[in-house]
């Protein structure tokens, strides 16, 4: 065992003495050491209950013969960090989480890891750590929040953000917004739509890093605690069979994840996190895969924010495993991939059926004939950009309009909320990329305001930053190269015509090369100032959005 180096022999007597000071007996110390990374904090609603989940995990480990050794990790609530300086710290926290787990795992010679997580950057940060460290590891999430209810309709966090836009447009009063605010988030769990957290929890299940049910069993259901206990037992089976993350995280497993993501209509942030996890596993996941796989895998689930269904509905319809069974039946995913159950995908989903064909539609009756996310390129995004095409209204799939240029998110949000954006405009927010922000902020406030004002069918938004999983509408992000590194988005001026053609995967600035050449001579790239030494270090090493915004090794 890996832990033998820290506990065996007379030379390790001081080490054992320290463990005994923590209350552990000789026979406990002799067990395999399982690090349990608990991302509990009292800020994030998706994490406030993780003490309960962690205790269940530890019970499962202990019952199966292991010694659970709990330690904490940080976590940022993207919703609370939204639309101010705090969001600059969200994406960089992913790397900090990965590194902190590596420090704990290697410093203490753990034999295995259980990663207790739930929200946006914590999930991929933990998965990246598992892939980097490559000792037997398994992920367990805290589960999704139930949808809120108001006047007989389901609502969620996105309803509140869009309510702000409706209020600014005079379509709602403050009393009505307060009612939405009070009812949209009824309890613990990751926000109830197919936003980034829930998309990534589903991806953990599809990649094979988590047990069946990880993506959809509600946070408040007793099944979530049972799953946590089973997760604790499962890590011991992985150790006994010496199955490591890189045995699971194969090219075929990532292809499966992309296929299911596209069928679900998941968050555009998966185009950051799946490549980042692949990078940590020593693989390369090109964003071209989203177009290639999306051409044959249709969009089958109409989930909030662009649809009416929530994660609890997907759970009741059979869960991620039912969707996977349907895709496997048509050879659209690989059934031979090994998973943390020690069984294959095919074995895991055997006998699973779709229980509601409106929530998980059959392949011959999709919501859209192509997958939910598109990777697009053009003169405005030579290296590429990302759009959730399943969330774009039909009239905006092809659009040309004049640019309204803003140098940061705050300026754009102010103009939108002041009703300064006109039908047909293309809002451009730059200097918000991994380096320019720094930190690549999400743009949920401006996109939600546009939707709340009823302009989702007339106004587009383009940025070198990124979007919340709760964003919908003609929102194109991750534009690369970003403005801070000299990308063409930095050359755009008010009134320039921008052409968007999502079916043809094009994003173009309709300005002649001669004019752009003149602008380049005078252009000095701008990067937002920060007083944070942490963010300055991140800026120095961060790669582009289409490279997963990982940190360069050198």
């Amino acid at each position: 065992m890996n832990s033998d180096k820290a506990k065996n022999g007379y030379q390790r007597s001081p080490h054992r003495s320290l463990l005994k000071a923590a209350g552990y007996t000789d026979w406990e110390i002799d067990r395999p050491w399982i690090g349990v990374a608990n991302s509990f904090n009292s800020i994030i609603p998706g994490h406030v209950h993780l003490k309960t989940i962690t205790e269940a995990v530890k019970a499962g480990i202990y019952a199966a013969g292991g010694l659970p050794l709990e330690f904490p990790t940080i976590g940022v609530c993207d919703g609370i960090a939204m639309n101010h300086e705090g969001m600059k710290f969200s994406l960089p926290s992913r790397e900090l989480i990965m590194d902190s787990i590596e420090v704990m795992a290697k410093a203490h010679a753990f034999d295995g890891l259980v990663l207790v997580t739930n929200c946006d950057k914590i999930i991929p940060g933990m998965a990246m750590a598992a892939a980097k460290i490559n000792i037997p590891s398994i992920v367990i999430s805290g589960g999704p929040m139930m949808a809120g209810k108001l006047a007989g309709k389901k609502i969620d966090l996105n309803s509140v953000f869009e309510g702000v836009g409706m209020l600014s447009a005079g379509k709602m009063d403050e009393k009505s917004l307060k009612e939405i605010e009070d009812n949209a988030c009824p309890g613990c769990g990751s926000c109830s739509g197919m936003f980034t957290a829930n998309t990534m929890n589903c991806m953990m299940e599809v990649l094979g890093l988590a047990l069946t049910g990880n993506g959809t069993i509600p946070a408040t259901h007793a099944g979530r605690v049972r799953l946590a206990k089973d997760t604790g037992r499962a890590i011991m089976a992985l150790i006994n069979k010496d199955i490591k993350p890189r045995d699971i995280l194969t090219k075929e497993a990532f292809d499966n994840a992309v296929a299911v993501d596209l069928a679900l209509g998941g968050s555009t942030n998966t185009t950051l996190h799946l490549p980042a996890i692949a990078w940590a596993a020593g693989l390369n996941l090109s964003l071209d895969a989203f177009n290639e796989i999306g051409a044959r895998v249709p969009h089958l689930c109409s989930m909030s924010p662009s649809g009416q269904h929530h994660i609890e509905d997907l759970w009741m319809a059979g869960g991620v495993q039912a969707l996977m069974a349907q895709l496997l039946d048509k050879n659209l995913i690989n059934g031979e991939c090994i998973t943390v159950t020690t069984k294959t995908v095919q074995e895991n989903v055997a006998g699973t059926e779709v229980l509601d064909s409106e929530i998980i539609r059959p392949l011959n009756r999709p919501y859209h004939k192509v997958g939910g996310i598109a990777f697009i390129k053009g003169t405005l995004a030579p290296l590429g950009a990302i759009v959730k095409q399943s969330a774009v209204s039909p009239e905006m799939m092809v659009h040309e309009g004049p640019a309204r240029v803003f140098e940061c998110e705050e300026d754009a949000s102010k103009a939108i909320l002041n009703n300064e954006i006109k039908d047909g405009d293309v809002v451009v927010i730059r200097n918000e990329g991994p380096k320019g922000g720094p930190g690549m902020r999400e743009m949920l406030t401006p996109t939600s305001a546009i939707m709340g004002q009823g302009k989702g069918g007339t106004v587009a938004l383009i940025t070198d930053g990124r979007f919340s999983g709760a964003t919908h509408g003609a929102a194109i992000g991750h534009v690369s190269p970003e403005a801070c590194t000299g990308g063409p988005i930095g050359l755009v001026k008010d009134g320039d015509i921008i052409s968007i053609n999502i079916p043809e995967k094009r994003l173009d600035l309709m300005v002649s090369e001669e004019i752009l050449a003149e602008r380049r001579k005078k252009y000095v790239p701008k990067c937002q100032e920060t007083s944070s030494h942490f963010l300055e270090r991140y800026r120095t090493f961060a790669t582009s959005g289409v490279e997963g915004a990982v940190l360069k090794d050198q």
Side-chain angles (χ1 to χ4, degrees), residues 100 269 495:
S100 67
N269 280 314

Side-chain angles (χ1 to χ4, degrees), residues 223-510:
R224 179 59 57 175
V225 177
R226 295 195 295 269
L227 188 72
K229 291 178 181 177
D230 287 340
T231 297
R233 288 168 56 87
I235 188 62
M236 301 309 298
L238 290 171
I239 288 172
N240 291 336
K241 295 191 176 185
D242 195 31
I243 297 174
K244 300 182 177 71
R246 293 194 185 191
D247 300 321
I248 294 168
L249 295 172
T250 61
K251 178 185 182 301
E252 292 76 16
F254 282 101
D255 287 346
N256 284 354
V258 172
V260 175
D261 184 22
L262 294 169
L264 285 170
S267 166
T268 53
N269 280 314
T270 56
T271 65
L272 287 171
H273 300 323
L274 290 177
I277 297 167
W279 165 82
L283 301 173
N284 176 54
L285 176 61
S286 169
L287 295 188
D288 290 322
F290 283 81
N291 291 343
E292 294 163 4
I293 296 173
R296 60 179 183 270
V297 176
H299 175 220
L300 301 177
C301 302
S302 182
M303 308 293 294
S304 175
S306 55
Q308 60 179 325
H309 301 133
H310 291 79
I311 305 301
E312 64 205 61
D313 303 313
L314 181 62
W315 174 58
M316 293 298 291
V320 173
Q321 61 269 34
L323 175 60
M324 292 178 70
Q326 190 162 272
L327 295 175
L328 181 61
D329 185 59
K330 300 298 182 182
N331 296 314
L332 293 173
I333 60 172
N334 188 310
E336 300 305 313
C337 296
I338 193 70
T339 73
V340 290
T341 66
T342 74
K343 298 178 181 179
T344 65
V345 167
Q346 185 169 0
E347 291 173 313
N348 287 345
V349 304
T352 305
E353 296 180 357
V354 173
L355 303 178
D356 189 323
S357 60
E358 274 303 300
I359 295 170
I360 305 174
R361 282 193 175 180
L363 277 88
N364 62 2
R365 193 170 58 86
Y367 283 98
H368 298 93
K369 293 182 180 179
V370 294
I373 293 173
F375 179 49
I376 65 178
K377 294 183 178 181
T379 58
L380 188 53
L383 297 181
I386 292 294
V387 62
K388 187 192 286 190
Q389 58 186 349
S390 61
V392 179
S393 59
E395 61 269 31
M396 292 299 289
M397 294 293 284
V398 177
H399 177 76
E400 283 194 4
R404 290 293 310 279
V405 182
F406 301 93
E407 304 298 338
C408 65
E409 180 192 3
E410 286 87 350
D411 291 349
S413 296
K414 181 179 178 180
I416 294 167
L417 291 171
N418 286 340
N419 294 293
E420 296 173 14
I421 304 303
K422 308 302 180 187
D423 289 342
D425 284 350
V426 178
V427 176
V428 176
I429 307 177
R430 61 193 180 198
N431 308 314
E432 292 286 4
K435 290 181 178 293
M440 203 179 187
R441 286 193 288 184
E442 289 184 345
M443 304 288 161
L444 183 55
T445 295
T447 56
S448 296
I450 288 170
M451 297 302 293
Q453 291 173 350
K455 297 176 181 176
T458 60
V459 172
L461 190 149
I462 296 171
T463 181
D464 52 10
R466 61 194 178 92
F467 298 113
S468 165
T471 290
H472 60 128
I476 300 173
H478 308 198
V479 171
S480 300
E482 60 176 291
C484 181
T485 62
I489 190 172
L491 304 177
V492 182
K493 292 187 176 182
D494 279 340
D496 287 349
I497 300 300
I498 293 175
S499 173
I500 300 166
N501 192 321
I502 296 172
E504 294 187 5
K505 310 295 190 292
R506 296 291 306 181
L507 177 63
D508 292 297
L509 177 60
M510 308 303 285

Side-chain angles (χ1 to χ4, degrees), residues 519-531:
R519 291 182 186 178
R520 284 192 192 96
K521 293 177 183 178
K522 303 175 183 178
Y523 178 62
V524 178
K526 298 177 182 178
C527 297
Q528 292 189 41
E529 294 182 359
T530 176
S531 60

